[in-house]
Amino acid sequence: MEIIHMAPVACVIFAITIVTSLLAFSNDNLYGRMMLHPYTVSRGKDIHTIITSGLIHRDWMHLFFNMLSFYFFAFTLEPIIGHLQFGILYVLSLILSDMPTVIKHKNDYNYYSLGASGAVSAVIFSIVLFMPWQTIYIMPIPIGIWFWLFGILYLVYCHYASKYSRDQINHDAHFFGAISGLIITIVFNHHVLGDFIQQIISEAPAHFRL
């Protein structure tokens, strides 16, 4: 299939995340071994959970939202930046987005978190740099939403969710994942920030024309 040829890394991540999440839904023991426990990690144990926690989700809705966002953006981003860079971006952002959580909750024994939110946020904000004016359609909204606007709305939602949620979803990772995605993309593609600013300035009049 063409999509596998164009974005093999995204395909593998997509498939593994869905499979491991579904397995964890019905296996509490697996859930426990894969979740991020900052108290333990900060003491040098179960370091692997920084990665494995990004392969499981709280429930069907959490999985659906993350994988839908991943599908819309990751399979477009990988052909742009290349397979190796995409893999590095995803894995490194997953790690970096969890580190503030580990530091923040290092003495909270009862705190656990999970989800691919940090890495997915990195993917979204990486592609925003390349294609800010590209649009995404989300039902039931009848008009396309620009990538850059979607990114802002995404972070607003994450801030609200982080402040008021009582679930085990690592909402803080959304913000730090977004920052990681921007920085990593700029490091690998020095021209992208200038190109982004140029696109915003040059195309804004056409997009905001009444």
Side-chain angles (χ1 to χ4, degrees):
M1 295 176 61
E2 184 177 357
I3 192 171
I4 296 178
H5 176 73
M6 294 181 61
V9 179
C11 286
V12 170
I13 292 172
F14 188 70
I16 291 177
T17 304
I18 291 177
V19 170
T20 53
S21 293
L22 295 181
L23 289 174
F25 286 162
S26 57
N27 188 327
D28 290 339
N29 186 43
L30 180 62
Y31 234 126
R33 294 201 309 268
M34 297 183 72
M35 288 181 67
L36 176 67
H37 188 211
Y39 181 91
T40 301
V41 171
S42 65
R43 285 156 178 79
K45 301 178 180 179
D46 296 335
I47 304 298
H48 66 277
T49 58
I50 294 175
I51 297 293
T52 60
S53 61
L55 301 176
I56 56 176
H57 290 78
R58 179 68 180 85
D59 50 34
W60 285 94
M61 186 57 67
H62 184 209
L63 174 63
F64 176 77
F65 180 73
N66 265 347
M67 290 301 95
L68 183 65
S69 300
F70 182 87
Y71 177 82
F72 279 133
F73 296 100
F75 291 102
T76 302
L77 177 64
E78 185 174 341
I80 295 175
I81 64 176
H83 312 312
L84 178 60
Q85 187 181 147
F86 180 85
I88 293 173
L89 171 75
Y90 193 88
V91 175
L92 188 55
S93 294
L94 185 62
I95 296 171
L96 292 175
S97 64
D98 274 341
M99 294 315 297
T101 299
V102 172
I103 296 172
K104 179 179 179 181
H105 296 281
K106 64 180 180 180
N107 294 318
D108 186 352
Y109 185 81
N110 296 315
Y111 182 88
Y112 291 82
S113 71
L114 75 175
S117 303
V120 173
S121 294
V123 169
I124 292 173
F125 278 83
S126 177
I127 200 168
V128 163
L129 289 174
F130 291 99
M131 310 169 66
W133 293 108
Q134 184 67 32
T135 55
I136 181 175
Y137 288 85
I138 303 176
M139 296 297 292
I141 302 174
I143 59 174
I145 302 175
W146 298 309
F147 279 8
W148 67 265
L149 180 58
F150 179 87
I152 292 175
L153 295 175
Y154 187 82
L155 286 186
V156 170
Y157 159 75
C158 295
H159 173 74
Y160 176 85
S162 177
K163 188 174 182 179
Y164 296 104
S165 70
R166 296 295 181 269
D167 52 34
Q168 294 170 318
I169 300 172
N170 191 355
H171 295 287
D172 288 335
H174 292 83
F175 175 77
F176 294 107
I179 299 300
S180 298
L182 291 173
I183 293 174
I184 294 170
T185 302
I186 293 171
V187 168
F188 276 105
N189 307 272
H190 303 297
H191 61 85
V192 71
L193 184 58
D195 291 347
F196 169 78
I197 294 173
Q198 180 61 34
Q199 285 188 66
I200 291 294
I201 294 175
S202 63
E203 298 183 30
H207 288 286
F208 286 103
R209 185 179 300 148
L210 298 178

